[in-house]
Amino acid sequence: MTARTPEETRLFADKQLDAFFESVTPELKNHVTSLPKRITQISARPVIRLKEVLNTADQIFDQAGKFAACARGCGHCCHVSVPITQFEARYMGENLGITPV
């Protein structure tokens, strides 16, 4: 396999992105575009709002997975710095049963 030029890489990415957008159902598009309004209307703890965002992200991943280089359980991000907020760290810690450092 030969290496792509930056322009070939950009064109490939554009085609993949177009294919992804064509594959998204109208229901998912509506679910995603309504997310900001939905989470501002949820009168619950921030963790409930975060769960709604994560649920939406899972739905997008389910649709986009075949277009992404990584897969569920990939682990690449375990070896690179991925910044998160303290709130996200506490949320993950609670769900994993550990205390974040």
Side-chain angles (χ1 to χ4, degrees), residues 33-52:
T33 57
S34 67
L35 178 65
K37 185 176 182 178
R38 282 196 329 274
I39 62 172
T40 57
Q41 292 176 339
I42 296 174
S43 61
R45 297 177 309 158
V47 71
I48 303 300
R49 292 179 181 170
L50 179 59
K51 285 182 181 181
E52 182 62 24

Side-chain angles (χ1 to χ4, degrees), residues 8-99:
E8 290 171 330
T9 299
R10 189 190 63 72
L11 290 172
F12 176 77
D14 285 347
K15 286 180 186 176
Q16 288 291 86
L17 188 59
D18 289 344
F20 165 69
F21 283 126
E22 288 173 13
S23 75
V24 175
T25 65
E27 294 82 15
L28 181 56
K29 286 179 186 175
N30 183 49
H31 187 76
V32 170
T33 57
S34 67
L35 178 65
K37 185 176 182 178
R38 282 196 329 274
I39 62 172
T40 57
Q41 292 176 339
I42 296 174
S43 61
R45 297 177 309 158
V47 71
I48 303 300
R49 292 179 181 170
L50 179 59
K51 285 182 181 181
E52 182 62 24
V53 172
L54 295 175
N55 174 50
T56 300
D58 284 343
Q59 290 180 44
I60 294 168
F61 182 84
D62 289 344
Q63 191 72 39
K66 61 187 169 200
F67 300 100
C70 57
R72 200 176 294 278
C74 166
H76 172 71
C77 59
C78 293
H79 305 285
V80 296
S81 177
V82 179
I84 61 173
T85 65
Q86 288 181 351
F87 179 77
E88 291 170 311
R90 283 194 312 271
Y91 175 82
M92 287 188 276
E94 288 173 10
N95 284 282
L96 295 170
I98 60 174
T99 303

